Amino acid sequence: GLNNPLSNWRVTALNREYGLCATYPRLLAVPRAVTDEALSRAAAFRSGRRLPVLCWKDAFGVASICRCSQPLVGVANKRSADDEALLRAIGETNPIGDTLHILDCRPKLNAEVNQVKGKGYEHASNYAATRLTFMNIENIHAMRSSLKAFLAVLKKQAAAGETSMPELEKSGWLEHLRMVLRAALHAARLLEHDRASVVVHCSDGWDRTSQVTALAQLALDPTFRTRRGFETLVA
């Protein structure tokens, strides 16, 4: 377990008063090699202070899923030694994999726009032994617009007593679902087949990040395919 002194992970109560990150739980699982002081400094380099933390680990292996938000790189390509060290420590919890895979849920263009606004994404030259992949999932505003269009088409077709897949496809909603599922499957394959660890984020580490990490856990861990396990996952 995580409390085993031989584990590469530990549980910290640094966020017990929600001072580290207001949108994270009170207890966080983090690499044992990283101190609480370093975690506090690393959090300052992530949007909303949502630093990389563990959300799933293979119970019989070393591969893991961590989640976070985008780094505050900006157009000046700012760096944080503590953030870089934290990702390096996450990678080192997995002695089998030589690469930590960072899955950025956004299209690259969106990430570059965020960089102009003072945020951005990890540059490989600054994060050793990592590989960044953009998963091309649109943001919540695009998804909400597509869902609205999708439901309007369904209502129209129901009234007419007909079904037209091309019309449903035009809403873009089904493509959004495909992209989320594709990202989750990519993460699951990295963990299951390559025994690699992954870090998942989008802009603020909320909607897309939660969707991808939760679906990956459903695919990887039968615990979450039970009623009680699913309730735990979405709680």
Side-chain angles (χ1 to χ4, degrees):
L2 296 180
N3 291 320
N4 186 327
L6 298 179
S7 171
N8 289 324
W9 299 90
R10 67 183 178 90
V11 176
T12 177
L14 182 60
N15 201 42
R16 60 185 175 276
E17 302 297 333
Y18 302 102
L20 178 70
C21 177
T23 57
Y24 268 0
R26 298 178 69 184
L27 299 178
L28 304 172
V30 297
R32 187 173 295 277
V34 182
T35 66
D36 282 355
E37 292 75 15
L39 291 173
S40 294
R41 293 191 296 269
F45 193 67
R46 292 280 167 173
S47 178
R49 298 183 60 85
R50 295 174 67 84
L51 73 163
V53 295
L54 181 70
C55 64
W56 184 86
K57 178 187 171 297
D58 185 348
F60 304 101
V62 290
S64 64
I65 303 174
C66 288
R67 60 176 295 176
C68 59
S69 62
Q70 64 186 327
L72 306 181
V73 177
V75 293
N77 288 321
K78 292 184 293 184
R79 298 179 62 176
S80 165
D82 293 292
D83 187 68
E84 294 168 22
L86 177 53
L87 261 68
R88 184 165 59 251
I90 290 172
E92 290 172 351
T93 64
N94 184 348
I96 296 176
D98 56 3
T99 301
L100 176 64
H101 291 262
I102 302 173
L103 306 186
D104 190 324
C105 296
R106 303 168 291 181
K108 185 176 182 180
L109 178 60
N110 293 22
E112 291 173 337
V113 169
N114 273 281
Q115 185 166 351
V116 174
K117 298 178 180 178
K119 300 177 183 181
Y121 57 95
E122 297 84 357
H123 294 267
S125 58
N126 297 337
Y127 292 86
T130 64
R131 179 178 179 180
L132 175 66
T133 305
F134 291 98
M135 303 312 300
N136 298 310
I137 304 171
E138 296 292 347
N139 62 33
I140 189 173
H141 307 293
M143 285 196 174
R144 186 182 292 120
S145 176
S146 292
L147 178 57
K148 184 177 180 180
F150 181 77
L151 294 175
V153 172
L154 280 182
K155 183 177 181 180
K156 177 183 176 182
Q157 292 187 358
E162 59 183 26
T163 300
S164 171
M165 284 305 297
E167 286 296 316
L168 293 173
E169 286 282 0
K170 286 180 182 179
S171 70
W173 176 246
L174 298 179
E175 180 62 16
H176 290 317
L177 297 184
R178 277 192 287 268
M179 298 308 293
V180 171
L181 289 169
R182 188 176 298 165
L185 181 58
H186 181 62
R189 283 174 172 166
L190 286 170
L191 286 128
E192 178 70 16
H193 299 295
D194 298 347
R195 298 291 188 263
S197 293
V198 301
V199 173
V200 182
H201 73 72
C202 48
S203 296
D204 294 311
W206 293 342
D207 301 288
R208 289 166 287 187
T209 299
S210 299
Q211 292 160 3
V212 171
T213 55
L215 286 169
Q217 289 175 77
L218 278 171
L220 289 164
D221 195 331
T223 300
F224 299 117
R225 296 194 291 273
T226 65
R227 179 179 297 177
R228 180 169 295 179
F230 185 75
E231 289 174 350
T232 301
L233 186 62
V234 300

